[in-house]
């Protein structure tokens, strides 16, 4: 599963694995793919440094990257406290009432919410980059599109390739104009933030829009056959995220979440703004239903929504309140039926890819004889 891009980065397989877990990222790189650590949960630079130290020591010299979340336009002088002050009191009451309805206990006195997505704040992401650029990362990816121009220049000065996610050909062209090296075509089926266009349609549109820039296909991919399909559509690799959530190396800190993922079908996800304020695919729960109910207050824009629900989600996760308990995940969750190691996932991807290529070769051979 090699392409020009994978050879450029020095990896055996053009499988880019996004994950919030350092152990998963390291295992992906060791298996011959390209591990990408998600940085959004690291509000403490020391914690990010600790995990990057660990990652660097466990990739066996293989390349790896970092994924951040930051807006394309630089915003100066806005603090987290100032942003939190913008949250309407009615929305705070809605959160309180919903948690009370399901009997969700409070956090212990002095306990700080473990689920803070202040990584959506630009100054937090810039602090993450200050740490990351001290390490030999090979790729910087941004989930909100093109990073600010100074960040792109800073990465290029260090020989780091920059990738940006796009949900349409129009977005992809803007990334190309901004000096991005790799475009990740994120289809509607994918977990987390997605656009409106399905992968089968989106991938070739983006390939045509930004060629010869390399494109990674993302969204709804979880088998070697789908990897082969992505290559046939012009992608130079695939970007997989959801598939790693049920690997043995993943640390979800919740057996209930793992149980729900293993039991879920492809139709058990929903694109909702309940998590961050932007449409993000996740398990459908009574929490997402409450926020999507037209009789409710509606969600707030990013980053207000994430700040609003941070403590609530920490409480839901800590006490494993199953009706409300969810996680970002794509429609590929319907194939995630057992816990496997990262290496086992790669073995399945490789076998499926070979089977798909052999099948197409047989078809092409017969066509050539007619």
């Amino acid at each position: 599963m090699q392409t020009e891009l994978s050879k450029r980065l020095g990896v055996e397989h053009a499988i880019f694995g996004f994950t919030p877990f350092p152990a998963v990222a390291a295992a992906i790189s060791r298996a011959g793919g390209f591990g990408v650590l998600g940085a959004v949960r690291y509000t403490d630079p020391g914690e990010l440094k600790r995990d990057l130290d660990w990652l660097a020591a466990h990739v066996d010299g293989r390349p790896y990257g970092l994924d951040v979340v930051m807006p394309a336009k630089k915003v100066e002088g806005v603090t987290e406290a100032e942003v939190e002050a913008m949250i309407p009191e009615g929305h705070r009451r809605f959160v309180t009432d919903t948690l009370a309805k399901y009997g969700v206990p409070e956090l212990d006195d002095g306990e700080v919410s473990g689920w803070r997505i202040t990584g959506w704040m630009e100054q937090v992401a810039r602090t993450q980059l200050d740490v990351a650029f001290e390490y030999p990362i090979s790729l910087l990816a941004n989930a909100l599109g093109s990073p600010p121009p100074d960040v792109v220049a800073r990465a290029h000065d260090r020989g780091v390739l920059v990738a940006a996610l796009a949900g349409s050909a129009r977005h992809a062209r803007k990334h190309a104009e901004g000096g991005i090296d790799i475009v990740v075509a994120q289809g509607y089926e994918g977990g987390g933030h997605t656009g409106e266009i399905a992968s089968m349609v989106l991938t070739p549109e983006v390939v045509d829009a930004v060629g010869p820039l390399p494109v990674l296909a993302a969204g709804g991919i979880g088998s070697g056959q789908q990897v082969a399909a992505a290559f046939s559509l012009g992608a130079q690799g695939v970007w997989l995220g959801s598939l790693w959530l049920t690997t043995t190396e993943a640390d979800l800190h919740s057996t209930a979440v793992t149980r729900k993922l293993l039991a879920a079908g492809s139709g058990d996800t929903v694109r909702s703004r309940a998590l961050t304020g932007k449409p993000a695919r996740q398990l459908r729960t009574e929490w997402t239903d409450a926020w999507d109910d037209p009789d409710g207050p509606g969600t707030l824009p990013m980053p207000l929504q994430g700040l609003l629900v941070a403590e609530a989600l920490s409480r839901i996760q800590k006490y494993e309140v199953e009706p409300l308990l969810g996680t970002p995940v794509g429609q590929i969750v319907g194939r995630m039926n057992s816990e496997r190691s990262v290496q086992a996932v790669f073995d399945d991807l490789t076998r499926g890819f070979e089977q798909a290529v052999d099948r197409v070769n047989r078809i092409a051979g017969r066509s050539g004889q007619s």
Side-chain angles (χ1 to χ4, degrees):
M1 293 187 286
Q2 274 204 331
T3 65
E4 182 181 339
L5 178 61
S6 66
K7 292 175 182 177
R8 180 180 178 184
L9 287 167
V11 296
E12 182 181 357
H13 303 300
I15 306 292
F16 293 74
F18 164 79
T19 174
F21 307 116
V24 176
I28 290 168
S29 290
R30 290 198 306 271
F34 190 98
V36 182
L37 179 65
V40 71
R41 66 189 180 92
Y42 292 99
T43 57
D44 180 352
E47 292 181 359
L48 178 59
K49 186 179 188 308
R50 177 202 64 202
D51 282 357
L52 285 175
D53 282 338
W54 188 94
L55 186 58
H58 288 82
V59 294
D60 292 348
R62 307 290 183 89
Y64 60 95
L66 192 76
D67 179 278
V68 297
V69 179
M70 63 190 311
K73 294 183 179 179
K74 187 174 181 178
V75 179
E76 300 282 5
V78 180
T79 67
E80 181 181 338
E82 290 171 332
V83 174
E84 287 219 49
M86 302 176 189
I87 297 173
E89 186 58 35
H91 282 74
R92 296 187 187 277
R93 284 197 303 272
F94 180 77
V95 170
T96 299
D97 292 346
T98 303
L99 295 178
K101 176 181 176 181
Y102 290 90
V104 182
E106 298 276 355
L107 296 177
D108 295 333
D109 289 343
E111 184 177 0
V112 178
S113 168
W115 202 98
R116 297 292 286 176
I117 58 168
T118 50
W120 308 121
M121 304 286 290
E122 182 187 349
Q123 63 266 33
V124 176
R126 287 182 176 275
T127 301
Q128 293 166 349
L129 292 178
D130 290 339
V131 174
F133 284 139
E134 297 176 2
Y135 293 82
I137 62 172
S138 301
L139 176 71
L140 173 67
N142 185 27
L144 285 185
S146 301
D150 67 297
V151 172
V152 176
R154 189 178 176 191
H156 286 167
D157 286 345
R158 288 164 172 76
V160 177
L161 298 181
V162 180
L165 273 67
S168 70
R170 177 174 61 85
H171 292 156
R173 280 190 289 267
K174 287 185 177 180
H175 298 342
E177 293 167 1
I180 296 301
D181 304 293
I182 302 167
V183 176
V184 181
Q186 170 79 323
Y188 172 84
E189 309 95 320
H193 296 118
T194 66
E196 303 282 350
I197 306 172
S199 298
M200 182 63 75
V201 175
L202 178 65
T203 301
E205 285 187 353
V206 172
V207 168
D208 290 344
V210 303
L213 280 184
V215 173
L216 303 179
I221 301 173
S223 71
Q225 292 88 340
Q226 290 169 308
V227 175
F231 287 1
S232 73
L233 295 174
Q236 286 202 32
V238 293
W239 179 273
L240 309 182
S242 298
L243 194 62
W244 317 110
L245 290 173
T246 52
T247 57
T248 54
E249 292 89 347
D251 184 10
L252 287 174
H253 299 293
S254 173
T255 56
V257 169
T258 300
R259 186 167 59 248
K260 292 183 78 169
L261 287 170
L262 295 174
S266 299
D268 293 328
T269 68
V270 63
R271 284 174 75 245
S272 172
R273 297 177 183 269
L275 189 64
T276 68
K278 285 184 176 292
R281 186 171 296 283
Q282 55 203 280
L283 283 178
R284 182 176 180 178
T285 66
E286 293 183 33
W287 176 260
T288 62
D289 286 348
W291 282 104
D292 295 338
D293 189 334
D295 292 332
T299 56
L300 297 170
M302 179 185 282
L304 300 182
Q305 182 70 16
L307 293 171
L308 169 66
V309 303
E311 181 179 322
L313 294 179
S314 284
R315 291 165 59 184
I316 292 167
Q317 291 171 0
K318 176 179 178 178
Y319 299 108
E320 296 195 331
V321 184
E322 291 210 29
L324 305 178
L325 189 63
T327 186
V329 69
Q331 291 180 331
I332 199 63
V333 69
R335 294 182 64 97
M336 296 159 49
N337 301 317
S338 63
E339 291 187 75
R340 301 176 293 165
S341 68
V342 168
Q343 184 62 61
V345 171
F346 266 86
D347 291 343
D348 285 348
L349 290 172
T350 302
R351 283 192 296 268
F353 180 82
E354 291 173 348
Q355 292 168 2
V357 171
D358 287 345
R359 186 182 306 120
V360 172
N361 284 339
R362 289 197 300 272
I363 294 171
R366 286 195 298 272
S367 298
Q369 296 170 4
S370 61

